[in-house]
Amino acid sequence: MRDEQKKRLLAGLLVLLALAAVWRFAPAIFTGSGEGVRQFSSGLAELSGTDRIATLDLALLNRAGRDYSAGRDPFSFYDPPPEPPPPRVETPQPVRPTPTPVPVDTGPRPPAITYEFLGSFGPEERKIAVLADGDEIFNAQVGEVLEDQFVIDAIGLESVDIKYIEFPDLPPKRLAAGADTTFGR
């Protein structure tokens, strides 16, 4: 016989030996009793020709590792509790002095400007502003007086500046073309 055939034959015999041992001692192994395990161990010792097989202490197996719990579960979501708000520090509010009332000027007021600037035409040195007040239309150049109350101060491309005759210290009011220009109301 060749070496390869001898190895196969030896492996087959070992498998048969293991099957015979399991078949003979199977009820003792699966019942879990200590006596069955001892019988299995002694049977193996008989088959192998040695009686130095250690016995298995089942009590040690039953008490080991029963309190194991898994750590982090990757399939569960943990929402940490919100952080407590920072402690509120109360600062004393400064005492504010009561504001002094602003004196109301009860003196004479300038009249309201009710004109609407429609546009301008003419050469640059002699521009004419077109103003409307209701149904009335006024054409005026710089320096002309309207209704004895207003004077045209300047004429631009899209606006006109009007001053009050009785209040020469007030700055002129600018009327833009097409805008609501009711001043002083």
Side-chain angles (χ1 to χ4, degrees):
M1 283 177 128
R2 294 185 354 210
D3 286 336
E4 188 175 321
Q5 289 177 345
K6 287 180 187 178
K7 289 180 184 178
R8 284 186 197 167
L9 183 61
L10 181 61
L13 287 174
L14 288 175
V15 169
L16 283 175
L17 179 66
L19 287 175
V22 170
W23 181 68
R24 179 168 180 330
F25 300 107
I29 293 172
F30 293 118
T31 58
S33 67
E35 184 62 34
V37 172
R38 279 190 216 93
Q39 286 178 1
F40 180 71
S41 299
S42 64
L44 283 179
E46 291 172 10
L47 289 174
S48 65
T50 179
D51 54 350
R52 291 199 54 193
I53 295 180
T55 59
L56 180 63
D57 188 7
L58 293 177
L60 291 174
L61 290 175
N62 287 334
R63 73 180 164 120
R66 295 288 179 190
D67 59 346
Y68 176 75
S69 65
R72 183 178 162 274
D73 182 9
F75 300 106
S76 67
F77 179 73
Y78 173 69
D79 192 15
E83 293 184 19
R88 188 171 184 187
V89 178
E90 298 204 17
T91 58
Q93 296 293 329
V95 178
R96 296 183 182 155
T98 55
T100 57
V102 177
V104 178
D105 185 15
T106 56
R109 292 183 171 194
I113 298 175
T114 58
Y115 298 109
E116 181 180 354
F117 178 61
L118 300 177
S120 64
F121 63 94
E124 191 67 36
E125 61 276 352
R126 289 186 18 200
K127 265 206 174 160
I128 299 172
V130 181
L131 301 160
D133 186 15
D135 292 335
E136 285 189 72
I137 304 268
F138 299 95
N139 293 327
Q141 290 182 328
V142 175
E144 285 190 35
V145 177
L146 301 171
E147 297 180 346
D148 296 330
Q149 295 179 1
F150 310 105
V151 63
I152 303 295
D153 188 50
I155 301 172
L157 293 174
E158 297 178 353
S159 64
V160 64
D161 292 343
I162 299 177
K163 288 185 86 170
Y164 299 101
I165 292 179
E166 295 180 16
F167 302 93
D169 295 337
L170 289 178
K173 298 289 183 179
R174 179 164 286 177
L175 304 178
D180 182 19
T181 56
T182 321
F183 291 110
R185 288 189 181 174

